[in-house]
Amino acid sequence: MLKPKLGTCYYPEHWSRDIWKSDVIRMVELGLSWVRIGEFSWSKIEPKEGELDWEWLDCIVELLRSHKLDIIMGTPTATPPKWVLDKYPDMLAIDELGNVRGFGSRRHYCFSHLGYRKEAERITREMVSRYGLKVQAWQVDNEYGCHDTTLSYSQAALEGFRDWLSQKYQSPSALNKAWGNIFWSMEINEFSDIELPNLTVTEPNPAHVMDFRRYTSDQVVKFNNSQVTALRKFSEAPLIHNYMGRITAFDHYEVGDDLDIASWDSYPLGFLEMVSDADEKFKAKYAHQGDPDFQSFHHDLYRTVGSGRWWVMEQQPGPVNWAAYNPAPLAGMVRLWSWEAIAHGAEVVCYFRWRQAPFAQEQMHAGLLRVDNMPAPAWNEISKLNSEINSLGIIEQKDAHIALIFDYQSQWAWEIQPQAADFDYFREVFDTYSCLKKLGVDVDVCSSNDPNLNKYKIIFAPSLFSTNEILENCSGHLVLGPRFNSKTTEFKIPNPLPPNVMGLDVIVERVETLRPNMSRPLKGAGSVIRWIEGISHNATVLDETKDGAPIILQQNNKTYLAACLDLTAKNKLFKKLLKDQGINYVEMPEGVRQRSTKNHKFIWNYSNKEQNIDGITLAPAEVKIISI
Ligand code: GAL
């Protein structure tokens, strides 16, 4: 790997030309190497259909290149101008309640709309035929799924879905059988009888919704792919998309297969406020730092989405504008988040944004520069980081021993059929991850059919809804359940009953879900929460509830969990599993996390107190890098 680089997101179209040059000089002075431009500028490039104005973009491209800055050019398709909408009035997405998601912000398009897909491909082709040899990377669109824009119940989606189903099932009777449409007389005679699974009287058939979720995800893949094809014709520069935190409505692994680099937009404080499951006490404690595991979970995920190369495309530099509350980062956190990303293998960390905008939706969002052009607090942290990177040498990743499966279809399945108000797949996976990180071990977050799964000593697959051969044939120790393989891909209860895994003599005979105050203590440590399975088995019981229900079972190279476990129970079990596999672990002090690369060990402190580990003292937000 090359030395990590820093960059920023720049919007020259927001500023008068007199300051472009000094901006670019200051970027170089700060030590930045990459600048992302263009991704929301369609109305400036093409104010009216066919009237293309490249002069301003030529000029900034030339200026950046003459200062040896590398450019990531964003295709502007997340913000189609008004005239595009006038041309395709039915291109807007429709929400589940039938409301139109209108013009006046961004991401106002439906992925199924073929007219818009062509229009997006056209502007991409125009851009790449002009800049294909001049820029060093491309960002395709911007944040698929942001603002809940993946699912759409439009006419275009209906037509596309019918077509998708007719290809998948070939005949209406095959579809009826697969979905179980005899139940409640839902049988269809023609594919044109199919409706979208919204606005039904009570819940729609889960098999119908599951196929709609798959169809929807496929449209994101296709939309992305149509731009990828256009870009590859005229450019050899790497293609990137900027994914997000806890966005699960499309299969990122499938989008990633078409791209060269995965990137994501990391806003630790906004995420803690808006998408974390943590309680109020935790949120208050970490309000200025973020959840110590949320960022690294996504770093470890996006490293396996696609080719293995990954970046942070947008890094929070100060308070954002979009959360319910928007605190400032604790002094030192911007540097910490950046080092944390680099320790996990980020090739580039770009800060969003260069200068705070005094106008429009994001005027309260910090940048590296204030509106009056003075440096904002992150500036000095980045400057320090830059000199540290320069003196550190090359950072090389090494293989982790632990894989944790994250599967988008399982997320959809358990959203469709949670069976308990608080059952959430992401949360099951994230809690497993967090528990492992508190033991200081390195983890790769992988897809369930990652061809490299066999190299891991332990593979955790919490609540995977449907199994596959790659996973089951791994020689490593598999930690499965609850809900493992508990549906067929058609969304039926399988017979034989789950988990139905070779070498594991366990049968889930019944499931029960528990209210938050109904947790059941285990004999060993901790409790069962939320979900408990009644099983018959012929395996070794590692732990059971105080009233004798077997919960943690082991046989051959498999551990089965017949319940959701709280963190205390997980911690005890995970320590045993790590020890059995000869993986070293250490109980990390509160908020302290670590990662080892080939030549370095990185340790950082998310807590707001001084912490000590192995004789090393870490102030709040401090990062220590030890050569090994
Ligand atoms: C991201 C987005 C950026 C900007 C930023 C603000 O989600 O890609 O365009 O809106 O959030 O935090």
mmCIF file of all heavy atoms in Angstrom, residues 36 62 69 94 154 161 170 208 284 296 313 462 466 478 504 586 596 606 628:
data_model
loop_
_atom_site.group_PDB
_atom_site.id
_atom_site.type_symbol
_atom_site.label_atom_id
_atom_site.label_comp_id
_atom_site.label_asym_id
_atom_site.label_seq_id
_atom_site.Cartn_x
_atom_site.Cartn_y
_atom_site.Cartn_z
ATOM 1 N N ARG A 36 -12.279 16.511 -4.313
ATOM 2 C CA ARG A 36 -13.478 16.026 -5.023
ATOM 3 C C ARG A 36 -14.301 17.226 -5.482
ATOM 4 O O ARG A 36 -14.571 18.138 -4.681
ATOM 5 C CB ARG A 36 -14.327 15.147 -4.109
ATOM 6 C CG ARG A 36 -15.519 14.546 -4.873
ATOM 7 C CD ARG A 36 -16.490 13.825 -3.961
ATOM 8 N NE ARG A 36 -17.171 14.745 -3.072
ATOM 9 C CZ ARG A 36 -18.105 14.376 -2.190
ATOM 10 N NH1 ARG A 36 -18.440 13.112 -2.057
ATOM 11 N NH2 ARG A 36 -18.689 15.279 -1.414
ATOM 12 N N GLU A 62 -7.915 22.587 -14.466
ATOM 13 C CA GLU A 62 -6.585 23.067 -14.858
ATOM 14 C C GLU A 62 -5.833 23.628 -13.631
ATOM 15 O O GLU A 62 -4.664 23.308 -13.393
ATOM 16 C CB GLU A 62 -6.823 24.140 -15.936
ATOM 17 C CG GLU A 62 -5.660 24.967 -16.372
ATOM 18 C CD GLU A 62 -4.611 24.120 -17.056
ATOM 19 O OE1 GLU A 62 -5.006 23.170 -17.749
ATOM 20 O OE2 GLU A 62 -3.405 24.419 -16.860
ATOM 21 N N LEU A 69 -2.600 18.713 -7.583
ATOM 22 C CA LEU A 69 -3.658 18.080 -6.783
ATOM 23 C C LEU A 69 -4.389 17.060 -7.654
ATOM 24 O O LEU A 69 -4.649 17.315 -8.835
ATOM 25 C CB LEU A 69 -4.626 19.139 -6.262
ATOM 26 C CG LEU A 69 -4.037 20.004 -5.140
ATOM 27 C CD1 LEU A 69 -4.860 21.262 -4.930
ATOM 28 C CD2 LEU A 69 -3.932 19.213 -3.841
ATOM 29 N N ILE A 94 -41.835 7.628 -5.317
ATOM 30 C CA ILE A 94 -43.083 7.717 -4.543
ATOM 31 C C ILE A 94 -42.850 6.946 -3.246
ATOM 32 O O ILE A 94 -42.327 5.831 -3.284
ATOM 33 C CB ILE A 94 -44.260 7.050 -5.312
ATOM 34 C CG1 ILE A 94 -44.390 7.615 -6.731
ATOM 35 C CG2 ILE A 94 -45.561 7.141 -4.532
ATOM 36 C CD1 ILE A 94 -44.971 8.991 -6.839
ATOM 37 N N SER A 154 -43.328 3.832 -7.384
ATOM 38 C CA SER A 154 -43.783 4.597 -8.551
ATOM 39 C C SER A 154 -44.333 3.661 -9.626
ATOM 40 O O SER A 154 -44.177 2.428 -9.546
ATOM 41 C CB SER A 154 -42.577 5.348 -9.135
ATOM 42 O OG SER A 154 -41.652 4.401 -9.641
ATOM 43 N N PHE A 161 -40.915 -4.053 -11.708
ATOM 44 C CA PHE A 161 -41.060 -5.192 -10.789
ATOM 45 C C PHE A 161 -41.796 -6.341 -11.480
ATOM 46 O O PHE A 161 -41.413 -7.508 -11.375
ATOM 47 C CB PHE A 161 -41.828 -4.726 -9.549
ATOM 48 C CG PHE A 161 -41.934 -5.748 -8.444
ATOM 49 C CD1 PHE A 161 -40.852 -6.539 -8.077
ATOM 50 C CD2 PHE A 161 -43.132 -5.897 -7.730
ATOM 51 C CE1 PHE A 161 -40.955 -7.475 -7.034
ATOM 52 C CE2 PHE A 161 -43.242 -6.821 -6.691
ATOM 53 C CZ PHE A 161 -42.155 -7.611 -6.350
ATOM 54 N N GLN A 170 -41.050 -17.003 -14.465
ATOM 55 C CA GLN A 170 -41.483 -17.556 -15.773
ATOM 56 C C GLN A 170 -42.989 -17.743 -15.909
ATOM 57 O O GLN A 170 -43.532 -17.504 -16.966
ATOM 58 C CB GLN A 170 -40.756 -18.876 -16.087
ATOM 59 C CG GLN A 170 -39.242 -18.752 -16.157
ATOM 60 C CD GLN A 170 -38.783 -17.970 -17.383
ATOM 61 O OE1 GLN A 170 -39.255 -18.195 -18.487
ATOM 62 N NE2 GLN A 170 -37.871 -17.031 -17.183
ATOM 63 N N HIS A 208 -43.602 -11.508 -1.002
ATOM 64 C CA HIS A 208 -43.814 -10.418 -1.958
ATOM 65 C C HIS A 208 -42.877 -9.249 -1.614
ATOM 66 O O HIS A 208 -42.165 -8.719 -2.483
ATOM 67 C CB HIS A 208 -45.299 -10.016 -1.835
ATOM 68 C CG HIS A 208 -45.768 -8.966 -2.790
ATOM 69 N ND1 HIS A 208 -47.071 -8.569 -2.848
ATOM 70 C CD2 HIS A 208 -45.143 -8.204 -3.699
ATOM 71 C CE1 HIS A 208 -47.221 -7.631 -3.762
ATOM 72 N NE2 HIS A 208 -46.063 -7.385 -4.290
ATOM 73 N N ALA A 284 -24.981 10.711 25.693
ATOM 74 C CA ALA A 284 -24.471 11.937 26.333
ATOM 75 C C ALA A 284 -22.962 11.812 26.551
ATOM 76 O O ALA A 284 -22.195 12.741 26.303
ATOM 77 C CB ALA A 284 -25.199 12.165 27.648
ATOM 78 N N SER A 296 -15.381 2.088 12.987
ATOM 79 C CA SER A 296 -14.525 0.964 12.583
ATOM 80 C C SER A 296 -15.358 -0.163 11.986
ATOM 81 O O SER A 296 -14.891 -0.878 11.095
ATOM 82 C CB SER A 296 -13.663 0.478 13.745
ATOM 83 O OG SER A 296 -14.455 -0.068 14.765
ATOM 84 N N MET A 313 -14.547 9.085 1.955
ATOM 85 C CA MET A 313 -14.738 10.173 0.985
ATOM 86 C C MET A 313 -15.149 11.467 1.676
ATOM 87 O O MET A 313 -14.821 12.562 1.212
ATOM 88 C CB MET A 313 -15.794 9.766 -0.048
ATOM 89 C CG MET A 313 -15.906 10.722 -1.204
ATOM 90 S SD MET A 313 -14.388 10.808 -2.173
ATOM 91 C CE MET A 313 -14.649 9.528 -3.384
ATOM 92 N N PRO A 462 -24.275 -14.022 13.002
ATOM 93 C CA PRO A 462 -25.499 -13.856 13.784
ATOM 94 C C PRO A 462 -26.721 -13.656 12.889
ATOM 95 O O PRO A 462 -26.682 -12.863 11.948
ATOM 96 C CB PRO A 462 -25.223 -12.608 14.630
ATOM 97 C CG PRO A 462 -24.078 -11.926 13.987
ATOM 98 C CD PRO A 462 -23.317 -12.938 13.205
ATOM 99 N N SER A 466 -30.540 -17.144 5.628
ATOM 100 C CA SER A 466 -30.464 -18.304 4.744
ATOM 101 C C SER A 466 -28.995 -18.662 4.537
ATOM 102 O O SER A 466 -28.186 -17.780 4.242
ATOM 103 C CB SER A 466 -31.107 -17.944 3.406
ATOM 104 O OG SER A 466 -31.976 -18.944 2.995
ATOM 105 N N LEU A 478 -17.552 -21.960 13.373
ATOM 106 C CA LEU A 478 -18.726 -21.146 13.002
ATOM 107 C C LEU A 478 -19.567 -20.855 14.238
ATOM 108 O O LEU A 478 -19.917 -21.782 14.980
ATOM 109 C CB LEU A 478 -19.595 -21.907 11.996
ATOM 110 C CG LEU A 478 -19.010 -22.170 10.617
ATOM 111 C CD1 LEU A 478 -20.001 -22.967 9.766
ATOM 112 C CD2 LEU A 478 -18.719 -20.847 9.925
ATOM 113 N N LEU A 504 -24.233 -30.458 13.174
ATOM 114 C CA LEU A 504 -24.778 -29.751 14.347
ATOM 115 C C LEU A 504 -26.169 -30.307 14.620
ATOM 116 O O LEU A 504 -27.120 -30.041 13.892
ATOM 117 C CB LEU A 504 -24.851 -28.245 14.054
ATOM 118 C CG LEU A 504 -25.407 -27.362 15.174
ATOM 119 C CD1 LEU A 504 -24.438 -27.334 16.362
ATOM 120 C CD2 LEU A 504 -25.635 -25.936 14.672
ATOM 121 N N VAL A 586 -7.578 -8.848 24.834
ATOM 122 C CA VAL A 586 -7.347 -8.072 26.061
ATOM 123 C C VAL A 586 -8.616 -7.261 26.330
ATOM 124 O O VAL A 586 -9.242 -6.765 25.393
ATOM 125 C CB VAL A 586 -6.089 -7.168 25.912
ATOM 126 C CG1 VAL A 586 -6.080 -6.437 24.599
ATOM 127 C CG2 VAL A 586 -5.961 -6.159 27.031
ATOM 128 N N SER A 596 -4.004 -3.684 14.885
ATOM 129 C CA SER A 596 -2.615 -3.967 14.521
ATOM 130 C C SER A 596 -2.494 -4.089 13.013
ATOM 131 O O SER A 596 -3.334 -4.700 12.359
ATOM 132 C CB SER A 596 -2.168 -5.295 15.131
ATOM 133 O OG SER A 596 -2.211 -5.198 16.522
ATOM 134 N N TYR A 606 -11.467 6.976 22.700
ATOM 135 C CA TYR A 606 -12.723 7.687 22.444
ATOM 136 C C TYR A 606 -13.337 8.252 23.732
ATOM 137 O O TYR A 606 -14.285 9.030 23.659
ATOM 138 C CB TYR A 606 -13.758 6.714 21.845
ATOM 139 C CG TYR A 606 -13.914 6.731 20.344
ATOM 140 C CD1 TYR A 606 -13.019 6.050 19.521
ATOM 141 C CD2 TYR A 606 -14.988 7.376 19.728
ATOM 142 C CE1 TYR A 606 -13.188 6.022 18.135
ATOM 143 C CE2 TYR A 606 -15.165 7.359 18.345
ATOM 144 C CZ TYR A 606 -14.254 6.679 17.559
ATOM 145 O OH TYR A 606 -14.427 6.650 16.194
ATOM 146 N N ILE A 628 5.996 -2.084 15.657
ATOM 147 C CA ILE A 628 6.213 -3.455 16.152
ATOM 148 C C ILE A 628 7.074 -4.250 15.165
ATOM 149 O O ILE A 628 7.259 -3.850 14.042
ATOM 150 C CB ILE A 628 4.884 -4.217 16.411
ATOM 151 C CG1 ILE A 628 3.879 -4.051 15.240
ATOM 152 C CG2 ILE A 628 4.253 -3.749 17.697
ATOM 153 C CD1 ILE A 628 2.595 -4.820 15.391
#
